[in-house]
């Protein structure tokens, strides 16, 4: 299925601005991002922002991944619109949006059929192509990127190389790389053992210059929960052994879906950590209980924001060689 979306000609009658503006904070510790607007009590995950900073996309997901949709907010005259269903989403299970570094392509994951029918298939990576102010697509890049297996969480470099997640038989989910040369993607290869482990390794954000990769991994010895965030630095073309993020970045629940804004100011990730505490300090009415259970911090999934300066400091400190005493 193909359609064209004229970006600047969104019907003005459909634009609504968030009553409380989406705020970006330079926090030294992880904080819930845009509480009540983006992180709203549903499962919110997979943050991405366009390189020019004017478009924000993320996933909202129903229980157990039964349904997922990509939402979109746009900054107009300095104000963010209320997040609404992205023009290309809302019917099939769509998630994990990601811009190419130059902003000309918007990638995402979907189980939509190849022939434009209402049937569904396995999860593939798709993309939209921007020409001027027009978005064309979505397009399926086909083989060798997409197979009869599920492909997830695309992330792009400046050279067009695609990083994504795919099942790798005995080792579970692994992070794969496919180079873009002469207009075609190469046969995907899994990253080396410095990054991929015997457990599940997934949902990676690749630095556009390929200096580092941030990803989630499950079942490692230092894993605090059901999947933690790790990073690996690339030195002289070689990926270094993955390092576990500490200092409150990871929790005892699932922490994943990392993203770094193009201006390198903000680090985003998704987490199932729960802010809501039981028992309640005092008895609550049924209405108060419903509001609390349906609010952000209920443990379904929220998007968190952290100053990327803090993340850089962690990676620099942990990457320094040990000096013998």
């Amino acid at each position: 299925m193909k359609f064209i979306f004229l970006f600047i000609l969104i019907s003005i009658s459909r634009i609504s601005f968030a009553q409380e503006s989406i705020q970006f904070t330079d926090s030294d510790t992880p904080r819930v991002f845009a509480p009540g607007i983006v992180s709203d009590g549903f499962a919110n995950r997979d943050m991405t922002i366009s390189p020019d900073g004017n478009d924000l996309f993320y996933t909202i997901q129903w229980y157990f991944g039964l349904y997922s949709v990509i939402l979109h907010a746009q900054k107009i005259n300095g104000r963010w619109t209320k997040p609404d269903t992205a023009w290309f989403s809302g019917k099939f299970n769509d998630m994990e949006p990601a811009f190419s570094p130059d902003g000309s392509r918007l990638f995402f994951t979907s189980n939509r059929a190849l022939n434009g029918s209402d049937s569904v298939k396995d999860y593939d990576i798709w993309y939209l192509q921007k020409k001027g102010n027009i978005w064309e697509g979505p397009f399926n890049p086909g083989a060798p990127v997409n197979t009869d297996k599920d492909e997830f969480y695309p992330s792009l470099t400046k050279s067009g190389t695609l990083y994504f997640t795919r099942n790798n038989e005995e080792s579970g989910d692994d992070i794969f790389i496919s180079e873009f040369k002469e207009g075609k993607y190469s046969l995907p290869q899994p990253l080396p053992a410095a990054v991929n482990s015997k457990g599940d390794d997934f949902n990676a954000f690749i630095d556009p210059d390929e200096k580092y990769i941030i990803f989630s991994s499950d079942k490692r010895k230092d894993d605090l929960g059901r999947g933690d965030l790790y990073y690996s630095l690339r030195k002289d073309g070689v990926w270094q052994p993955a390092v576990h993020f500490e200092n409150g970045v990871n929790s005892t629940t699932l922490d994943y879906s990392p993203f770094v804004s193009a201006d390198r100011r903000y680090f985003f990730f998704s987490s199932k950590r729960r802010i809501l505490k039981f028992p309640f300090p005092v008895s609550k009415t049924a209405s108060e209980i419903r509001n609390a259970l349906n609010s952000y911090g209920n443990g379904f999934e929220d998007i968190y924001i952290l100053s990327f300066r803090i993340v850089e400091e962690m990676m620099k400190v942990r990457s320094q060689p040990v000096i013998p005493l």
Side-chain angles (χ1 to χ4, degrees):
M1 180 176 65
K2 175 182 177 181
F3 57 86
I4 296 177
F5 181 81
L6 186 55
F7 212 53
I8 61 174
L9 294 183
I10 303 173
S11 172
I12 299 300
S13 63
R14 293 188 59 191
I15 293 178
S16 60
F17 291 92
Q19 291 183 349
E20 297 182 13
S21 179
I22 294 174
Q23 299 292 328
F24 294 79
T25 56
D26 283 309
S27 174
D28 289 351
T29 57
R31 293 188 179 183
V32 176
F33 175 64
I37 304 173
V38 173
S39 299
D40 60 359
F42 287 93
N44 308 110
R45 45 172 289 192
D46 312 329
M47 179 81 171
T48 194
I49 304 172
S50 60
D52 64 9
N54 291 326
D55 291 280
L56 180 156
F57 294 85
Y58 65 99
T59 304
I60 186 169
Q61 196 167 60
W62 188 237
Y63 294 96
F64 309 110
L66 294 176
Y67 177 71
S68 55
V69 61
I70 295 174
L71 300 189
H72 171 225
Q74 189 177 13
K75 186 164 64 175
I76 300 176
N77 296 326
R79 294 182 60 196
W80 285 98
T81 61
K82 183 178 179 181
D84 203 349
T85 303
W87 65 94
F88 57 89
S89 189
K91 184 175 182 179
F92 300 99
N93 276 16
D94 302 321
M95 54 187 173
E96 303 170 346
F99 279 95
S100 59
D102 64 0
S104 66
R105 287 188 174 184
L106 175 60
F107 288 75
F108 64 99
T109 301
S110 180
N111 69 345
R112 63 186 65 199
L114 294 173
N115 59 8
S117 70
D118 290 338
S119 61
V120 297
K121 62 183 298 293
D122 63 292
Y123 284 94
D124 278 353
I125 291 172
W126 293 73
Y127 70 91
L128 296 103
Q129 180 72 50
K130 191 175 187 180
K131 295 182 178 180
N133 289 314
I134 297 176
W135 283 103
E136 295 182 349
F139 305 103
N140 187 306
V145 169
N146 292 318
T147 65
D148 57 0
K149 296 181 179 181
D150 292 327
E151 284 78 31
F152 292 111
Y153 213 79
S155 187
L156 284 299
T157 70
K158 290 179 179 178
S159 65
T161 297
L162 172 66
Y163 285 70
F164 65 96
T165 302
R166 180 194 287 167
N167 184 270
N168 198 18
E169 305 303 335
E170 291 83 4
S171 62
D173 284 347
D174 274 345
I175 299 164
F176 282 73
I177 178 175
S178 177
E179 296 181 333
F180 192 68
K181 295 181 177 180
E182 297 179 355
K184 296 180 180 179
Y185 285 105
S186 64
L187 184 67
Q189 299 294 329
L191 290 183
V195 176
N196 286 320
S197 67
K198 294 181 180 179
D200 289 323
D201 304 281
F202 54 98
N203 289 31
F205 172 84
I206 183 64
D207 169 52
D209 295 313
E210 293 184 277
K211 294 180 180 179
Y212 64 85
I213 187 171
I214 302 175
F215 62 100
S216 287
S217 186
D218 190 16
K219 302 177 182 177
R220 296 188 187 227
K221 291 182 179 179
D222 50 4
D223 179 14
L224 300 178
R226 297 187 301 106
D228 279 3
L229 289 164
Y230 292 77
Y231 71 87
S232 173
L233 303 179
R234 192 166 179 252
K235 297 181 179 180
D236 299 323
V238 178
W239 289 108
Q240 304 302 300
V243 179
H244 183 261
F245 275 110
E246 298 181 1
N247 299 328
V249 172
N250 287 306
S251 69
T252 56
T253 61
L254 174 62
D255 302 288
Y256 71 136
S257 296
F259 170 72
V260 178
S261 60
D263 59 9
R264 300 172 64 86
R265 288 189 62 186
Y266 306 109
F267 175 63
F268 299 87
F269 65 95
S270 303
S271 179
K272 290 192 175 185
R273 64 191 68 185
R274 180 165 53 85
I275 300 174
L276 186 64
K277 303 295 183 182
F278 301 107
F280 292 124
V282 296
S283 178
K284 294 181 178 292
T285 66
S287 176
E288 290 172 334
I289 291 172
R290 290 191 182 95
N291 288 337
L293 296 180
N294 291 322
S295 182
Y296 64 91
N298 57 12
F300 284 160
E301 263 174 87
D302 292 309
I303 295 174
Y304 280 75
I305 185 173
L306 174 67
S307 171
F308 185 62
R309 171 181 52 82
I310 300 298
V311 176
E312 280 188 308
E313 290 174 1
M314 291 181 191
M315 294 194 291
K316 288 178 182 178
V317 170
R318 293 300 298 269
S319 65
Q320 290 176 350
V322 176
I323 302 176
L325 297 175

